[in-house]
Amino acid sequence: TSYGRWAVSPKAFMFALTCENGHSPIKMVQTGQSPNFAVYHHSSYGPAFGGGLDLYVCDNPHMNTKSYLDIGSTYFCPQGQSSHFITGTSNFQVQEMEVFAVR
C-alpha cells in the first residue's frame, strides 16, 4: 500500500546468489523472533524485509546508496558472517535484484 504496512509471512525468506565476500549461494530463513515483521509493503520504495530492516531497498536503488542491509534481526545471518556479508557494507547501490511472490 502507499502508506506502508508490515505483513506476517511465515514462509518468507531471503536468498543471495552471489555475495561480496565470495560466500556460496545461501538461503536466509526467519529467526522466529519477529514474525509480524517478515515483509514491509510500501509504494514509494522497493522491498523491505525484517523488523530491524534486515534488507531495505530504497526508491531508485540503482542511482544511489540509500539501500540498507543488516541481516540478523528477523532473518538468520549465517554463523561467522557479518550482518552485511552479501554487499560488503551496510549501505549499497543495487546492481541487480529479483523479488518473487509465491502464492
Side-chain angles (χ1 to χ4, degrees):
T1 67
S2 60
Y3 298 108
R5 66 177 172 83
W6 285 104
V8 174
S9 184
K11 294 181 181 180
F13 63 90
M14 296 190 300
F15 188 85
L17 290 174
T18 60
C19 300
E20 181 68 26
N21 69 0
H23 198 288
S24 58
I26 187 162
K27 178 180 178 180
M28 291 149 286
V29 297
Q30 295 178 58
T31 63
Q33 300 299 311
S34 305
N36 294 329
F37 302 103
V39 295
Y40 190 76
H41 302 279
H42 198 287
S43 64
S44 295
Y45 49 82
F49 295 87
L53 291 182
D54 292 46
L55 174 65
Y56 161 76
V57 179
C58 67
D59 189 30
N60 296 312
H62 61 292
M63 298 173 65
N64 62 63
T65 59
K66 295 178 183 176
S67 293
Y68 181 78
L69 183 71
D70 190 21
I71 299 171
S73 175
T74 302
Y75 292 84
F76 278 110
C77 183
Q79 189 171 2
Q81 299 294 325
S82 74
S83 61
H84 49 266
F85 75 99
I86 295 172
T87 58
T89 182
S90 55
N91 289 87
F92 63 96
Q93 183 174 3
V94 173
Q95 294 176 8
E96 185 176 350
M97 172 182 71
E98 293 184 36
V99 177
F100 298 91
V102 180
R103 300 187 191 258

